[in-house]
Each structure stands twice: as structure tokens, then as C-alpha cells.
Amino acid sequence: DIWSSNVICCFGPDRYEQPVWMGDKYYNVSDYLHPTVIQKWKNKLDRPISIRNVSESNLRWLLDVIVDSRVDFNIDGNNNSRFKANLNNMTLLNLARRNIERIMSNIIGCDVYFALNYRNSGISRFRIMRSNDNSIVSPTLESLSTGQISLFNMFATIVRYADLFDINKSIKLNDITGIVVIDEIELHLHTKLQKEVLPKLIKLFPKVQFIITTHSPLFLLGMKDTFGEDKFDIYELPEFQKIDVERFSEFGRAFEYLKQTQKYKNEVESVLNSVPKSGKPIIFTEGSTDWKHMKAAYNSLKEKPEFSDLFENVDFEFFEYEPKNSPLQVKYKLDMGKDELSSICEKLSKIPFNDRKYIFIADRDDEKTNKKMTNEGEVVKHWGNNVYSFILPVPESRRQTPNICIEHYYSDDEIKTEWSGDEDRKSKRLYIGNEFDKRGIAYDIDRTCEKKSVCGENSISIIEGSSGEKVTSLKNVDNTNFALPKSKFAELVLNREPPFDNFNFENFVEIFKIIKGIIVDEEEAQNV
């Protein structure tokens, strides 16, 4: 009855779906053929390209490697030992064995060696031992975890395939050449194997071209730690767009999930708890550059007589913070994007008896955020308990492209202001998506943009130098990134450093009208 009325199935660790492009008629029936043992079959491949269930083949080969590395000797009539093999050759063959043991050591996490049981003892002829105390790590190859044996089989197979046509390749791993494709490389692997072990194993084969698909941000972070940023490339499919590690969409999703953990919530709450609950109204902005632009605008506008009424009887302060990875020594460090901003609004609105007003301002380049931070038909959303939010009002100059961020309050010419104060003294600036065609190319200015999805004649996206949106010369002489980071742009504007000392801030007037309305008269804010 149970069997007939229920679905009962198990998807085991060896699950595999053969790709449609991979035929099965081009290979020998046996998966362990050595040209010196079995004659090659004409027009048949002796090393299958699509690999599965190779533990037994690898084990047979491992036993060969161990046997070849052991030294035979005779005892003469005087009880003296005499070696029967060339010691130089045996040293090299032992090095081949040690290379494979090194692969296993990386996977296990301690130095190990392979040992043979006597033929009439033990549950297996082969076992894995710790080098420091000769204790047993695993009594058989099959006793390893699925992730461990999966990793070992991948990289041992690379050595085995090279070894089959040239035994010297198992002695010098850095001489092995070829192409290795690994689909879903993180399958069966826990976090440490993904981030720390996998990249180290890949690095053992510097002349092999690895082509890998993955959903694992941890693996990519490990690659960055092991190889640096310029020894491998990341392309996001299906657009085949070249990106950096932190622009990887899975990284973003994982980060969003992790931010919901109690640790992150505690971190946000600790920052909020350190902000005094009484005092001037305080303004929180989405992103650590927005408050700098607003403060620069405030400093400039309040000096002009025509705006004296705007700031009369209005006193407020900005929540001045930097991102967590900032080298600056500041009181507040927090990664605050769209979701964090609305989350903090919600948290603060549940705290009664707030004596000060909290005003949150978000960019309007995301429809989901717009709905969270405003109510339909209203300019300002009142969350309760003196918590308010609104999204950036659209200045007249941007009516045709309303999905703006804070930099769009400046003219295009101001956005493109160049700065050459960096160490390399090369001129850098922000770029706008419409400067490039859909291929990310701008012939007239000798530039190409890696992030093609933000390029095109109708794009107003701000392209900056710190988020993987590298802008380089078409000639690509030295791979210089000519895009200025948004953080540096904001700093230059705030500090009025030439040529950023004469910007027009009149588009910011509407922001301060709404702020004044919230502080002085909430109804007035709604009418702006």
C-alpha cells in the first residue's frame, strides 16, 4: 500500500545527466586501458571525455603508482641489502606518488600518505594514513566523504590521463597541459572545500585551461584569494558578460540572505542604538555617498541669499557613515543599500517615544524600493513614531529619464568632470551608459566598458570604477581603469577640490523643501 500510493525515490551522490552533445559511441568499452597493456582501438578514445564513476579506475591506477614507487632489494650471503632498481628512477617515481598524496592532503586538511595492507589482512588493500603519527585517516578510498572523493577523483583523473601517455607528467604536474571542463564544480562540496581547497588544487596545474561553471560565490572568493584578480576571468551567463567576483549575481543573492542572519541584524541594531534618540532631525541616505552630495549641496545653497528662506528655522544633521570595507577611521561603518534602508525604517518606527525625527531618503532607480519607501499618491511616507521616508524627487532636467540616483542631480558635463590626482596621474571620471554602444564600445573617446548591460544610447546608468564596471582603453595597453569610483567623486565634490569646486546644486532644492516640510509642517511636505 505504501509503495503503490506514494512516491519513493532517492537521488544519490552519483547522480548524473549526460549532456545531449556527448555521444557514447566514440569510446572504448573499458574505462581503464593503458596502451602498454591493451592494444589501442582504432578510432576509439582510450580516455573518456565525459567522466563518471572513476573511483575504481583511479584506485587501480593508484595501486600501480604505489607499486612503482616501492624499491625491491636482495640480501646477499653476508646479510647485506642490495637495491635492484635505479635509485634515481625510484626517487622520481616516489615524487609522482607524493604529488598525488599532496592532492589528497589538501582535501583531507592534513599531510597524508597512501599505504598498502598485506594481501591477507585489513578490509582493503589500500588505505590513507596520517604522516605525523601513522594513524588511519580512511581505511578505504570509498570511505571518504562524497565531497572528498569527488574532488580527489577530479584532480587524480587529470594526473592519470597525463600519466597514461607520459609518466613524467605525474612527476611534474606543472608540465601537464590540456583543457578541463567542470560543470557545477561545487557539487557535494562543503564551504571550506569550495573556498579554500578547490583553488589550491587548480593552482597545482598552471598549464591546464580550466573552464568551470558554478553557482558558488565562496568558490569565486577563494579563487580571488588564491590567484588574485587578473589570473582568471568570470563571465555571467546567459549574457556572457565579464564581471568581477562581487558583481556575480549569486554572490549578491547569498549576501542578501546572509544579511538576514541574527548577526547582521545585531550589527544594524548596535549602530542604531548608538545614535542618540533625541536631538536634531537626522537624515539617513541610501549608500554612503548620497549624504556627502546632500551635505555639499546644503553647504553651497545656504550661502546664497536667494535660498535663505529655505533654511530658515530648519536645523538637521546627516547620518555620516562609510561602508564596512572603508579604510577611513569613522564612528559609523555600515553597508546600507535599499533593503537595509527600508528595514531600518521599519525597526525605528516600532520604537515609541522617539524625541527626534528620522528622515530616510532613497534613490528612485528601483521600482521595488520606490513602493517600500513611499505610499502611492504621496511624497512622504510616515512610518509612525517620527520616522519618515521619501525617494529622490525628479529634477526638471531628468523628466525624460526618471529612474535616477543622486549623481543625476548634476549635469552630464559635471558628472564627467575629470580628475588626475591618483598615483598613476591618469585622468579618470564617471561615465554614463549612453556614451557606449550596446557592445560597450565608445570609439570617439577610445574607451570600452566591461559591463555591457548598462551600456547603450538610452542608458543613463552611472558607470564607476569600484564595482567591477571597469572602463579601459580600446587599445588596452596596460589595462588601466579610467572610471572614477563614486566614493572618490563624492569626496571631491564635498571638499570642493578643483575642478569640482563650482558645481550647480539647484536641483537639490526640492530635496530640502521636502525635508523642511517634514521638520516644520508635514502637510507642506506632501504638497511639494
Side-chain angles (χ1 to χ4, degrees):
D1 288 342
I2 293 172
W3 189 264
S4 61
S5 59
N6 296 276
V7 172
I8 300 174
C9 58
C10 171
F11 298 98
D14 60 344
R15 60 188 181 276
Y16 173 78
E17 298 294 335
Q18 180 166 301
V20 67
W21 52 266
M22 181 62 67
D24 57 2
K25 61 182 181 180
Y26 302 108
Y27 307 112
N28 284 325
V29 234
S30 170
D31 63 353
Y32 184 70
L33 298 178
H34 195 291
T36 60
V37 178
I38 299 176
Q39 184 180 357
K40 291 181 179 179
W41 294 13
K42 187 177 181 182
N43 297 327
K44 296 285 185 178
L45 301 176
D46 62 348
R47 289 167 291 153
I49 293 175
S50 185
I51 299 166
R52 60 178 303 200
N53 299 328
V54 292
S55 291
E56 186 177 345
S57 302
N58 281 337
L59 180 56
R60 292 199 207 107
W61 171 71
L62 273 178
L63 293 175
D64 282 349
V65 171
I66 294 171
V67 168
D68 284 346
S69 69
R70 294 164 74 96
V71 179
D72 293 329
F73 62 91
N74 285 336
I75 299 177
D76 61 21
N78 298 320
N79 210 28
N80 295 320
S81 299
R82 176 171 294 182
F83 295 112
K84 297 176 65 177
N86 183 300
L87 280 184
N88 288 331
N89 289 341
M90 298 312 299
T91 300
L92 292 174
L93 290 169
N94 195 272
L95 181 58
R97 171 181 172 178
R98 186 58 197 146
N99 281 336
I100 307 161
E101 290 172 338
R102 181 154 58 118
I103 292 173
M104 184 65 81
S105 296
N106 274 305
I107 295 169
I108 297 295
C110 65
D111 194 35
V112 300
Y113 67 93
F114 301 140
L116 294 179
N117 286 319
Y118 293 117
R119 60 182 178 271
N120 66 337
S121 66
I123 61 173
S124 169
R125 191 80 163 97
F126 173 89
R127 60 182 172 171
I128 304 169
M129 312 287 288
R130 286 186 183 85
S131 298
N132 63 346
D133 60 5
N134 296 317
S135 61
I136 297 175
V137 174
S138 179
T140 66
L141 190 63
E142 295 85 355
S143 298
L144 295 171
S145 74
T146 305
Q148 290 171 328
I149 197 168
S150 171
L151 261 187
F152 179 74
N153 278 334
M154 275 195 288
F155 290 93
T157 299
I158 295 173
V159 182
R160 174 165 67 92
Y161 272 25
D163 180 75
L164 286 176
F165 63 83
D166 185 352
I167 197 170
N168 289 308
K169 294 295 177 68
S170 60
I171 297 168
K172 297 180 180 180
L173 300 186
N174 56 3
D175 283 347
I176 296 177
T177 59
I179 299 173
V180 174
V181 180
I182 307 174
D183 195 11
E184 308 282 6
I185 196 169
E186 70 275 12
L187 194 65
H188 307 309
L189 305 184
H190 61 65
T191 54
K192 184 175 181 180
L193 288 178
Q194 291 179 38
K195 185 177 186 297
E196 298 180 21
V197 176
L198 254 178
K200 290 179 182 177
L201 294 177
I202 291 171
K203 197 170 185 178
L204 292 176
F205 303 89
K207 293 183 181 178
V208 171
Q209 172 69 68
F210 285 91
I211 302 172
I212 295 164
T213 70
T214 183
H215 293 281
S216 170
L218 291 176
F219 167 60
L220 293 183
L221 287 173
M223 289 290 288
K224 183 178 178 181
D225 290 344
T226 303
F227 289 91
E229 295 187 355
D230 57 346
K231 295 294 191 298
F232 68 103
D233 293 325
I234 308 170
Y235 292 90
E236 191 160 45
L237 300 176
E239 295 87 1
F240 203 69
Q241 174 183 305
K242 189 175 179 180
I243 58 173
D244 68 0
V245 171
E246 295 189 11
R247 298 292 290 185
F248 178 43
S249 61
E250 295 290 345
F251 183 95
R253 292 188 191 102
F255 184 60
E256 290 301 319
Y257 298 149
L258 289 172
K259 286 192 298 187
Q260 303 307 314
T261 61
Q262 191 60 47
K263 181 179 178 181
Y264 184 79
K265 290 177 181 177
N266 291 343
E267 187 177 276
V268 171
E269 287 174 5
S270 68
V271 171
L272 291 177
N273 290 335
S274 67
V275 176
K277 297 298 183 292
S278 61
K280 303 175 185 177
I282 185 168
I283 296 171
F284 290 79
T285 60
E286 176 193 332
S288 58
T289 61
D290 290 40
W291 68 263
K292 295 177 183 178
H293 291 294
M294 292 183 194
K295 187 173 181 179
Y298 173 74
N299 292 339
S300 175
L301 293 171
K302 71 178 182 179
E303 295 173 355
K304 299 183 177 181
E306 62 266 38
F307 298 113
S308 58
D309 289 346
L310 180 61
F311 299 104
E312 187 177 359
N313 300 322
V314 176
D315 196 11
F316 56 84
E317 62 180 295
F318 293 99
F319 178 67
E320 301 184 7
Y321 70 100
E322 295 291 336
K324 287 185 66 177
N325 63 357
S326 171
L328 299 177
Q329 298 300 314
V330 294
K331 183 176 182 181
Y332 299 116
K333 284 192 176 184
L334 187 66
D335 292 324
M336 185 150 61
K338 300 172 175 62
D339 291 336
E340 291 73 41
L341 202 70
S342 59
S343 175
I344 294 172
C345 281
E346 188 173 359
K347 287 178 183 295
L348 280 174
S349 68
K350 294 177 181 178
I351 302 174
F353 315 120
N354 280 330
D355 292 333
R356 73 190 309 185
K357 290 185 176 181
Y358 297 87
I359 302 171
F360 293 81
I361 307 175
D363 291 344
R364 63 182 308 129
D365 55 354
D366 180 77
E367 191 63 35
K368 181 181 174 183
T369 306
N370 296 351
K371 291 179 179 178
K372 279 186 179 181
M373 303 300 285
T374 58
N375 291 326
E376 189 173 353
E378 296 182 349
V379 175
V380 176
K381 179 176 180 177
H382 185 194
W383 296 69
N385 289 319
N386 272 335
V387 177
Y388 303 85
S389 68
F390 65 93
I391 58 176
L392 292 176
V394 182
E396 191 62 39
S397 59
R398 302 291 182 184
R399 290 291 176 190
Q400 300 303 314
T401 53
N403 296 327
I404 59 170
C405 58
I406 194 73
E407 287 81 12
H408 291 109
Y409 272 56
Y410 305 115
S411 69
D412 285 2
D413 287 340
E414 288 171 333
I415 291 172
K416 298 174 186 177
T417 301
E418 297 190 348
W419 178 73
S420 55
D422 213 344
E423 290 180 0
D424 58 15
R425 311 303 297 177
K426 293 186 177 179
S427 183
K428 299 181 180 181
R429 65 173 175 87
L430 296 182
Y431 289 81
I432 304 176
N434 57 25
E435 296 184 70
F436 304 87
D437 62 25
K438 289 183 178 179
R439 300 168 299 167
I441 295 175
Y443 288 110
D444 55 332
I445 57 174
D446 180 36
R447 292 289 181 267
T448 179
C449 176
E450 284 187 345
K451 191 178 180 184
K452 298 173 179 57
S453 63
V454 299
C455 297
E457 61 179 352
N458 297 318
S459 173
I460 63 163
S461 295
I462 303 296
I463 300 170
E464 54 112 7
S466 64
S467 58
E469 301 168 6
K470 184 182 286 189
V471 174
T472 58
S473 167
L474 283 167
K475 299 169 185 174
N476 202 22
V477 178
D478 56 5
N479 207 33
T480 297
N481 184 7
F482 292 97
L484 185 69
K486 279 187 177 183
S487 56
K488 188 64 184 179
F489 179 79
E491 177 188 318
L492 293 167
V493 172
L494 178 59
N495 295 332
R496 299 185 181 185
E497 293 189 27
F500 298 81
D501 54 344
N502 196 29
F503 276 29
N504 185 346
F505 295 101
E506 291 189 12
N507 282 336
F508 288 80
V509 168
E510 295 301 308
I511 293 177
F512 294 113
K513 284 183 179 179
I514 298 174
I515 292 173
K516 181 177 182 179
I518 294 171
I519 295 172
V520 178
D521 185 347
E522 293 177 29
E523 289 188 13
E524 182 181 329
Q526 296 291 1
N527 292 328
V528 170

